[in-house]
Amino acid sequence: MHICFCSLFARRAFCAAIVIACVSLIPISPAGAQRLPTNVIPTHYTLKLAPDLKTATFTGSEKIDVNIKEPTTSITLNAAEIKFESVAIYPNGARETGTVSLDPDKQQATLTFPKTIPAGSATIEIHFTGILNNELRGFYLSKTARRDYAVTQFEPTDARRAFPCFDEPAFKARFSVILVVDQHDTAISNGQIVADTPGPGENKHTLEFSETPRMSTYLVAFLVGDFECTGGTSDGISIRACATPDQVKYTPYALNVAKWALHYYDNYFQIPYPLKKLDLIAIPDFEAGAMENFGCITFRETAMLLDPKTASIGDQENVTVDITHEMAHQWFGDMVTMEWWNNIWLNEGFATWMENKATGAMHPEWHMPQMVAADEQSVLNLDAQPTTHPIRAPLANTPDEINQLFDGISYGKASDVLLTVENYLGEEMFRKGVHAYLEAHKFANATAQDFWNAQTATSGKPVDKIMESLVVQPGEPILTFGAPSNGQVSVDQKRFFLDPGDHADANEKWTLPVCFATGNGSQDCEVLTPDTTRLKVPAGGLLFANAGGKGYYRSAYQPAQYKALVGAAEPGLTPAERISLTGDEWARVHADQAPVGDYLDLVTALKDDEDAEVISNATAPISTIYQDVASNSQERAELAAWVRRTFAPAYAKLGPSLPGAPPNQQELRSHLFGLLGYMGEDPAVLAQARELANQYLRNRESVNPTLAQTALAVAAEKGNAELFDNLQSAYETSTDPEFKDTSLRLLAEFENPSLEERALNFAVSGKVRNQDAAIQLAIALQVPETREEAWKFIKSHWEQVHAELTPEMGEILVGSTGAFCSAAARDDVQSFFAVHPVAAASISLKHAIERIDGCIALRSSQEPNLQKWLAAQPGD
């Protein structure tokens, strides 16, 4: 499942804020855990549902074949918002009627029978009713202006809202789904349709789907409405990309990605995709980014649908990555599932790692290794917060605890650790270990030890010790290297924190591979242990201790070695290594281990770098320096002048945007344009932004979309009412999901006070889907010029705001208050949410407060250094 997302055009720190809002501390489970007993094991469900979209209700019946381990008079399973009509059990063919007692707090139902049910096989029969809710979870209504749809989202603990079930991942079973729907509607589920019969009653028909493989309840899916699809095949598997009728024209791109990815995964895993069909379905209302239901993957419309003629490179990258992520889950998560949610990284970390591998193979021109290296910098920064948690989280049992496991550590850090180990073993050896793990646990459940034991057995190397060190411990090390001597270098490791006020425990040490770049594109790897003080290094050349930028650690060097790296970064280091170097130096600035001027000097040295991701990663902290380190208009004006002097020549060198330019060149031009517009406030760029924005809105195919979308974002910052009206109209009338999303997000970035007020009111007007409303407010909290008014609006319109919050969106909104940078604002945020708590957002609030405190500390430690550095710069 993809859960964290942000607009490419939401400027400055918004994407980083969204990621931080998605990172949660996992509390230790209290007494009174909500786990089910293990004396009854389901093996097969026959599930029949009849949704009524007009009344937003459904009726259902099910037969659950179970294996009872020991005699019992009661059976406990999960149910929420379900009304039981009747319950019976058939042990050995005899029927016993039961009664039901509900525990709403535990979301459990206990079925009690008058006679003892013997050990062995039995069938439970339940008739029930439920509601099609508006909460974007369980069995719910998804709405368009034309009609409603009934759709599902069950991960992690919401299958119980659609049917009574053993709603835990280890209770795998086979499912036979039957849906009774309106005559002119169709339905999609995990299996393919094997029967379509009229009735029961007038204007209805009954669709029966093929039986699924053994799988967990959270992977069941069914969708009802007038969906339309485009189709094809890959490796003999039928693949469809489906959407509402007005959106189906945007499905061919997704279909082509899916066809390519299925063949790629079949070859990589050497285990064929196990179902006969694969459907991808775009849903109008969908809280997550996408969901990997076995054979029936669901998406936000913006995560799947696009028009290649008008989509930016970034749009195409995002959709491709979303699809390859969810398709990787068909093996990692669906076929082989973590035993319990505290090992969710076995699903999400693997899918994140695999999405990058598959997308990079499909589109080498997108430079995925650089994107992975840049993403790792964000993850390392998240993991350097005091409230991080281990990849394998402490045990979580309640739905709220489980939901908090889906975060940047389980996704990003887990993926980066897998990359670290793959880089150490080699791609083919690692692939063999992956195959062994999947083959051993096919259609079953697995633990972290199962994976690293498979890799250890396959490779003969200490993968178990390395992975246990990185998976079980929270945080990350910083490795400080001495000057090389006699083929060796001294190394000291300790836990790294971004906040200089946080201090590492001396006992926190890691076992991990350290790979030195050799200067010829290869590497020499040594295993660092808690007792290691010296490592072998390659002879001659630069000392760079993170070859390919693939190691999960921070690095620090002695002044002479660091100076040599800066002077020879290009071409002495690969693009991914340059990203790692800049990421490490910025982290050291944040931790007050280096002056901010040293970082800006490093950026200056890279100003002519021709790799878009290197420039993007190197210049991203400039916005933090501009907003959080500089505290007055003079410092910001001087910093803007430096941006113009430093990067205007590089932008001019690129020349005009030409058709057919390589993706890297398109993105480099777009990034420099945005940097000069936002941070540099370059008059020529601002004028060009207005011109390109108007041209793009008149005819979207007349301008390069990658540059045009950035120009539109720059123009919106100082935009007038006419531009605001045009964007609002585009959101309300366009059928293109990406263009609608871009237009909506940009409404929150207008700095004009009257337009800001319009944007805030529009967000909670009911005209914006609740999957998006909180993101609009979060964007406004990130923009310095709109932050104060946005916060005032949220407080004064809390009833309206709160009504729009789904659980995930509540976390994002609360986490976004971490953009403030003063003690007064911090205290105000704390006080407000103490009186107006947001469900499942207490940890997001803690992160927000930490970010505010971190910003205060950063300004205190680095503003004098910035002033000194600015004073030494030449004038315009």
Side-chain angles (χ1 to χ4, degrees), residues 662-727:
N664 176 73
Q665 188 180 101
Q666 294 183 50
E667 295 201 295
L668 179 60
R669 177 181 289 103
S670 172
H671 181 77
L672 290 172
F673 186 92
L675 179 67
L676 290 166
Y678 280 139
M679 294 292 100
E681 298 185 341
D682 186 293
V685 169
L686 294 176
Q688 188 181 9
R690 291 190 292 270
E691 179 182 344
L692 287 172
N694 290 331
Q695 183 179 347
Y696 180 66
L697 291 173
R698 288 193 301 269
N699 180 359
R700 291 172 54 218
E701 295 188 29
S702 67
V703 188
N704 177 281
T706 300
L707 179 60
Q709 291 180 0
T710 300
L712 190 60
V714 171
E717 180 182 30
K718 307 294 184 184
N720 57 21
E722 180 182 5
L723 179 57
F724 188 99
D725 291 342
N726 287 337
L727 289 173

Side-chain angles (χ1 to χ4, degrees), residues 99-142:
T99 60
V100 182
S101 59
L102 301 177
D103 187 336
D105 291 339
K106 290 187 176 181
Q107 299 182 356
Q108 292 177 355
T110 298
L111 318 181
T112 303
F113 303 96
K115 296 181 180 180
T116 300
I117 308 302
S121 299
T123 299
I124 303 168
E125 184 177 60
I126 304 173
H127 291 263
F128 56 93
T129 62
I131 61 170
L132 299 172
N133 66 67
N134 292 309
E135 299 176 5
L136 309 187
R137 59 179 177 169
F139 200 10
Y140 71 91
L141 285 181
S142 180

Side-chain angles (χ1 to χ4, degrees), residues 100 106 108 190 247 327 338 371 433 472 482 493 506 619 631 643 647 720 752 789 851 855 866:
V100 182
K106 290 187 176 181
Q108 292 177 355
N190 305 90
Q247 299 291 294
M327 288 185 63
M338 77 277 142
M371 294 177 67
V472 174
Q493 65 160 302
T619 58
S631 66
V643 167
F647 293 102
N720 57 21
N752 180 290
E789 289 305 313
R851 288 177 57 214
C855 182
L866 177 64

